[in-house]
Amino acid sequence: MKVLLLNPPYEKHFIRSARWAAKSISGSNWYPIWLAYCTGLLGKQGHEAKLVDALVESYSIEKTVQIANKFSPGLTVIYISTASLASDVKVAELIKEKTGSKIVLVGPWCAVEPSDIINSSNAVDAIALYEFDYTILEIAQEKELKDIKGLWWKRGGEIIRNPLREPVTSEELNGFPFVTDVYKRHLDIRKYFQAPQLHPFVDLFTGRGCAWGKCVFCLWPYAMTKGAPYRMRKIENVIDEIKYIKKELSYVKEIFLQDDTLQADRAREFSKELLRNNIKTTWSCYSRANLDFDTLKIMKESGCRGLHVGYESADPKILRSINKGVTVEEMEKFTNTAYDLGFIIHADFIIGLPGETTETIKTTIRWAKRLKAHSYQFVTPKAYRNTPLYTWAENHHIIKNGEAVISELSSNELDQWVNRAIKECHLNIYYLYRMMRRPYELGRMIKSAWFVIFSILSGSKH
């Protein structure tokens, strides 16, 4: 079957395929990584799969529909978000009208608000909940919809809710084609940019699911992998993909491991294999703020450049309330060690978590400015349905008009604090000193700073 997999058009620099849905203030573009893995699986099974990232290509809706019409798919898979849903549905309707294609919506948002999503348009035939690779494959194989797990679908005016699908196994992960080969064949790699990474970069999974998986605010562990344990590819399989990148994508300057967090034993295993195979490459990853010295040391020796770290808050009570599992003292020790070893650290913070006050925000900003980080990201939280943070809001009776109001501060106040935090952390003498010590990072920093400053001056929300 001909299958179109689509990241539909929307506002420039809108991020739909990350762990939240919002417009990037640093000019970042994310790979449609989940769609790409599904594209590879479909192609391996003999289907004619076409991956189109209309968002990053800045295609208009009209241009996107023209591409779909020319390809003439029997199945169109659209990765949606709640924030962009009205536009996503419009694209679906036009593709349906032009091609007659079956329309299936995917992405974590389908598990967050399944009833709203499947009822968003008559053009929507079905939605796939959680990891959707094999669900889409079975639709392409033209199996009876009633027999496909992980699917909500329409029969006349009735919504049929099939049983959920089991998470993809480690063995199945090893059977996927390299996602970086999918990028090469379907996407323009040079159009993807993330503020902390060298450009151009690629990203991939060495495993799915979060090794920690307890933070109450995080979307993917609950709405994409449904609390499944960390399932890892064989390290030999991962190393083979790194070798492929070195040979076929030699212009790529950095590899980012998209595993939710790269736990210590996995990080050591990967690092040792890079060293054993004498592979010279630059890589980065998500990390919890508690990796030990020995782990960080071998990661650095193997070529690890950057750590993308979720600190969230400097208030101990808030850290406990979100099940962060690390203390302020542990995070400081980790950061100092990583900095001394030469890592570039991208620090993530969330303003407006349960228990947040003006004083806790000030404390977090002061602490963040002292951290030896090289870039900062501040966002406000979103309590999505079917996540622990939403349940917490329900238990505390603070759901208003279907939205969880988890902070006493207003949305406008939180946005103002976010802007203030970004400015104070990036425009202080200690930060500028740290960056001056790494002049080779200045180009990346200036590009990101331009987008950030423009976004703040234009009053963008986070």
Side-chain angles (χ1 to χ4, degrees):
M1 178 181 287
K2 296 177 73 171
V3 184
L4 174 65
L5 298 102
L6 176 65
N7 188 25
Y10 197 54
E11 299 174 2
K12 191 173 180 62
H13 297 306
F14 180 77
I15 298 175
R16 185 187 284 113
S17 53
R19 289 162 178 80
W20 71 96
K23 187 173 181 179
S24 168
I25 67 167
S26 62
S28 295
N29 291 321
W30 284 59
Y31 284 97
I33 189 167
W34 292 96
L35 286 176
Y37 272 102
C38 188
T39 301
L41 179 65
L42 289 165
K44 182 179 179 180
Q45 296 296 324
H47 299 280
E48 186 179 349
K50 182 179 180 66
L51 174 60
V52 175
D53 193 341
L55 188 58
V56 169
E57 291 289 348
S58 298
Y59 291 156
S60 65
I61 290 178
E62 292 75 16
K63 171 72 171 178
T64 303
V65 174
Q66 287 174 5
I67 292 170
N69 191 37
K70 183 178 180 180
F71 182 61
S72 189
L75 170 62
T76 300
V77 180
I78 302 178
Y79 197 106
I80 58 93
S81 75
T82 50
S84 61
L85 184 60
S87 177
D88 301 342
V89 165
K90 180 179 179 182
V91 173
E93 291 171 342
L94 290 170
I95 291 176
K96 182 89 164 184
E97 179 183 335
K98 287 287 186 180
T99 69
S101 170
K102 185 174 293 182
I103 302 290
V104 180
L105 306 184
V106 300
W109 324 100
C110 292
V112 169
E113 298 180 354
S115 296
D116 292 345
I117 300 297
I118 196 168
N119 286 312
S120 58
S121 171
N122 290 332
V124 177
D125 296 293
I127 62 172
L129 277 64
Y130 305 107
E131 294 177 336
F132 53 83
D133 316 87
Y134 282 91
T135 301
I136 297 302
L137 176 61
E138 290 183 7
I139 297 173
Q141 292 171 334
E142 300 187 84
K143 292 188 177 182
E144 292 286 341
L145 295 185
K146 65 181 179 62
D147 297 326
I148 300 176
K149 290 184 176 180
L151 199 67
W152 282 27
W153 55 287
K154 294 176 180 176
R155 183 171 58 196
E158 182 183 9
I159 305 298
I160 310 298
R161 299 167 174 82
N162 291 357
L164 294 178
R165 179 177 295 276
E166 297 77 11
V168 172
T169 65
S170 294
E171 182 179 358
E172 288 171 331
L173 286 177
N174 287 314
F176 278 81
F178 296 154
V179 74
T180 46
D181 179 61
V182 177
Y183 299 157
K184 178 186 176 184
R185 291 184 293 108
H186 291 265
L187 306 175
D188 185 346
I189 287 173
R190 289 183 172 84
K191 290 188 176 180
Y192 293 86
F193 167 79
Q194 284 188 21
Q197 268 68 70
L198 300 178
H199 181 265
F201 82 104
V202 290
D203 61 10
L204 57 93
F205 287 126
T206 83
R208 287 188 185 178
C210 184
W212 174 248
K214 299 178 182 179
C215 299
V216 301
F217 57 84
C218 197
L219 180 64
W220 275 10
Y222 303 102
M224 182 59 90
T225 57
K226 202 184 185 313
Y230 186 38
R231 295 143 292 148
M232 295 175 284
R233 296 162 57 187
K234 291 180 180 178
I235 200 66
E236 296 84 2
N237 182 254
V238 178
I239 293 298
D240 284 345
E241 183 161 14
I242 304 303
K243 291 177 179 177
Y244 169 85
I245 295 167
K246 296 290 289 182
K247 180 180 179 181
E248 301 294 336
L249 301 170
S250 58
Y251 59 91
V252 165
K253 294 182 179 179
E254 185 165 359
I255 300 166
F256 188 81
L257 306 187
Q258 271 285 356
D259 302 37
D260 286 353
T261 52
L262 198 66
Q263 62 186 19
D265 55 355
R266 181 65 162 177
R268 290 193 298 270
E269 181 186 29
F270 179 64
S271 300
K272 289 177 181 177
E273 284 301 305
L274 287 175
L275 292 169
R276 190 179 70 82
N277 285 272
N278 196 30
I279 297 175
K280 309 295 184 184
T281 193
T282 301
W283 63 282
S284 296
C285 65
Y286 288 109
S287 167
R288 283 174 54 73
N290 60 0
L291 290 182
D292 59 276
F293 173 82
D294 289 340
T295 299
L296 289 168
K297 185 172 182 293
I298 194 169
M299 290 170 67
K300 190 63 183 174
E301 290 172 354
S302 72
C304 187
R305 168 185 165 273
L307 302 172
H308 195 133
V309 185
Y311 294 92
E312 322 315 350
S313 174
D315 183 81
K317 290 183 179 179
I318 291 177
L319 292 174
R320 288 193 295 271
S321 75
I322 61 175
N323 295 332
K324 190 63 187 174
V326 290
T327 66
V328 172
E329 293 74 22
E330 288 173 327
M331 292 193 292
E332 285 182 351
K333 179 181 178 181
F334 158 85
T335 305
N336 290 335
T337 300
Y339 180 84
D340 291 342
L341 285 170
F343 285 94
I344 296 294
I345 301 171
H346 178 74
D348 285 335
F349 292 88
I350 302 176
I351 289 180
L353 290 164
E356 193 83 273
T357 65
T358 298
E359 289 307 310
T360 62
I361 295 173
K362 290 179 179 178
T363 297
T364 294
I365 295 174
R366 286 195 298 267
W367 184 70
K369 288 164 66 175
R370 295 200 308 270
L371 275 182
K372 294 178 179 179
H374 301 89
S375 56
Y376 297 86
Q377 178 173 296
F378 288 85
V379 298
T380 56
K382 177 68 174 178
Y384 295 105
R385 294 177 190 173
N386 299 319
T387 63
L389 192 55
Y390 192 89
T391 301
W392 177 89
E394 287 181 315
N395 293 338
H396 286 76
H397 308 292
I398 52 175
I399 304 294
K400 298 180 180 179
N401 299 320
E403 295 288 329
V405 184
I406 61 178
S407 173
E408 295 180 0
L409 300 173
S410 70
S411 175
N412 286 337
E413 288 175 310
L414 291 175
D415 281 331
Q416 289 172 7
W417 276 113
V418 165
N419 286 339
R420 176 173 167 178
I422 291 171
K423 286 186 287 188
E424 287 194 19
C425 285
H426 287 97
L427 299 177
N428 77 85
I429 190 169
Y430 301 107
Y431 173 76
L432 296 175
Y433 170 73
R434 289 195 296 274
M435 293 308 300
M436 290 301 176
R437 291 190 65 188
R438 289 175 168 82
Y440 48 85
E441 295 287 344
L442 285 177
R444 177 188 60 81
M445 182 188 73
I446 291 169
K447 180 177 180 179
S448 300
W450 166 254
F451 281 107
V452 170
I453 293 169
F454 179 81
S455 296
I456 290 174
L457 291 176
S458 65
S460 296
K461 290 182 177 291
H462 314 286

